[in-house]
Amino acid sequence: MSSFRFLQFKVRFKRLLSSSQGENNRFLQAMRKVPSSVVVVTSSDGVLKRGITCSSFTSVSLNPPIISFCIGKPRMHGLLLETKQFAVNVLSEKQIYLSIHFSKQTQDEKPNQFDNIPHSISKNGHPLLHNCSAVLECNGHSVHDIGDHRVWYGAVERISYVDTHVSPLLYYARSYHSVGDASFMESFESVTLAYEDWSHEAHLRMAWNYIKQHGPDKAVPLIKDGIKRFNDKNSDKIKRGYHETITNFFIHMICKGLEKDCGESFQEFLEANPYLKDSRLLFKYYSQELINSKNAKERWVEPDLAPLP
């Protein structure tokens, strides 16, 4: 990435960032002090089974027992409205991978979210995740649009929990993340993220989190060092290894995507920039010969097919 182009982006990024801060930023900074439990809400219409990692789960009433949780407006809302039933699976501290798995955006035509995920089906048809700290089966009580989220209330009908001491999964956000992003970044930085979850989308998600949190200047070395550290830990599985030009290319494209208003979540960012999900995007700008060269692998080289946007 040329230094002039990168400087132009930094100026635009800082202007956008400063315009979205103020009182919202003060609120987010205050909320980062609050530890929260991590839950996966699951539901099914008898054919389609879905789950979503949620934030802001809490008990509302003891008598009758009512709980609440928040979800982003587009996600799983239609299925919940149709079934009016769901299960809240309270994850244990060893289930970070489930938090990551169910935080991914999933379309109805995509493969079953529950493939290779240990679960059973309740009498009412809810998918129930195994080995959770607790599971609450609920009937929908009510739902309200509040700001950029929907708040669901559930009347608890059945309860199960483990008798032995199993600590729940908590997150303590260092900055504003969704629950899934906090768990994902924790597992990436501790190099405990499963290799099979280190997909192209996971690369994007990691870089997006660092850029959103630190800005481009500070994010770049964190992104590069993190990839190299993950590769070292998984050296027996890695086939290609770290590539300087590919890494810088996608950092640049993520930065370009952030120039427009994409909401606050990674899923909203991808929805606004769907072309980034194509891992072969760089071949619109680079020839196979150049990208496979030793020079491109070891240092940044400009594209040979088309200029970067």
Side-chain angles (χ1 to χ4, degrees):
M1 188 185 315
S2 69
S3 58
F4 178 70
R5 187 184 294 117
F6 190 66
L7 180 61
Q8 284 183 315
F9 166 75
K10 286 196 296 181
V11 172
R12 290 195 297 269
F13 182 85
K14 288 177 180 178
R15 287 174 181 169
L16 288 169
L17 194 62
S18 61
S19 67
S20 64
Q21 290 178 342
E23 285 305 308
N24 283 350
N25 188 57
R26 289 175 60 81
F27 175 72
L28 297 176
Q29 291 299 317
M31 293 308 297
R32 66 183 285 197
K33 310 293 184 182
V34 183
S36 300
S37 59
V38 182
V39 304
V40 172
V41 175
T42 55
S43 188
S44 174
D45 61 5
V47 177
L48 182 67
K49 295 189 292 186
R50 284 289 176 259
I52 183 172
T53 305
C54 293
S55 62
S56 302
F57 166 73
T58 188
S59 61
V60 176
S61 169
L62 178 62
N63 187 21
I66 293 176
I67 55 86
S68 72
F69 60 86
C70 300
I71 58 174
K73 289 183 178 179
R75 302 197 62 194
M76 201 172 147
H77 184 65
L79 180 63
L80 292 173
L81 283 176
E82 178 185 347
T83 64
K84 294 184 173 57
Q85 292 184 329
F86 48 83
V88 177
N89 302 264
V90 182
L91 301 186
S92 74
E93 62 182 352
K94 296 182 179 180
Q95 293 179 310
I96 289 177
Y97 72 98
L98 289 178
S99 173
I100 295 170
H101 177 76
F102 286 103
S103 68
K104 298 174 183 176
Q105 187 80 1
T106 303
Q107 302 299 329
D108 289 353
E109 67 270 14
K110 294 295 179 67
N112 187 347
Q113 272 186 300
F114 292 84
D115 284 347
N116 303 316
I117 298 296
H119 71 286
S120 55
I121 302 298
S122 73
K123 293 180 179 179
N124 290 335
H126 310 305
L128 306 179
L129 302 178
H130 291 179
N131 303 316
C132 291
S133 296
V135 177
L136 309 174
E137 296 181 58
C138 304
N139 288 328
H141 178 277
S142 56
V143 59
H144 302 282
D145 280 4
I146 306 292
D148 56 4
H149 275 64
R150 286 192 170 103
V151 183
W152 276 87
Y153 295 88
V156 181
E157 300 295 324
R158 295 178 183 81
I159 302 170
S160 61
Y161 55 87
V162 292
D163 291 327
T164 56
H165 178 71
V166 176
S167 298
L169 177 61
L170 301 176
Y171 80 99
Y172 186 76
R174 294 161 300 173
S175 63
Y176 181 61
H177 294 294
S178 71
V179 176
D181 283 324
S183 297
F184 170 78
M185 291 304 292
E186 178 186 346
S187 62
F188 173 73
E189 292 177 344
S190 63
V191 202
T192 57
L193 180 69
Y195 178 74
E196 53 268 26
D197 289 328
W198 187 228
S199 60
H200 171 67
E201 186 172 314
H203 282 73
L204 298 177
R205 188 178 195 178
M206 173 272 296
W208 176 86
N209 271 282
Y210 277 135
I211 293 168
K212 286 281 286 183
Q213 182 177 353
H214 300 287
D217 273 349
K218 294 182 179 179
V220 169
L222 293 172
I223 293 167
K224 294 181 179 181
D225 290 346
I227 293 173
K228 292 173 183 177
R229 195 167 56 249
F230 186 89
N231 287 355
D232 288 344
K233 178 68 177 296
N234 295 276
S235 58
D236 58 325
K237 306 180 186 74
I238 296 289
K239 295 180 180 179
R240 185 166 190 165
Y242 178 78
H243 195 294
E244 180 72 11
T245 297
I246 293 177
T247 301
N248 279 293
F249 170 80
F250 279 105
I251 290 174
H252 172 79
M253 297 304 287
I254 291 169
C255 288
K256 288 294 295 182
L258 283 168
E259 290 183 9
K260 55 189 173 185
D261 183 10
C262 302
E264 288 293 338
S265 73
F266 177 65
Q267 285 74 27
E268 289 172 315
F269 173 75
L270 280 188
E271 288 170 5
N273 302 278
Y275 56 90
L276 287 175
K277 292 186 283 187
D278 181 6
S279 62
R280 298 184 59 81
L281 174 66
L282 77 164
F283 292 116
K284 293 182 178 179
Y285 303 90
Y286 289 91
S287 65
Q288 290 270 3
E289 181 181 3
L290 179 57
I291 209 67
N292 290 327
S293 69
K294 181 179 179 182
N295 190 42
K297 181 177 174 64
E298 295 179 351
R299 58 186 60 86
W300 164 255
V301 296
E302 293 282 349
D304 58 340
L305 297 183
L308 291 179

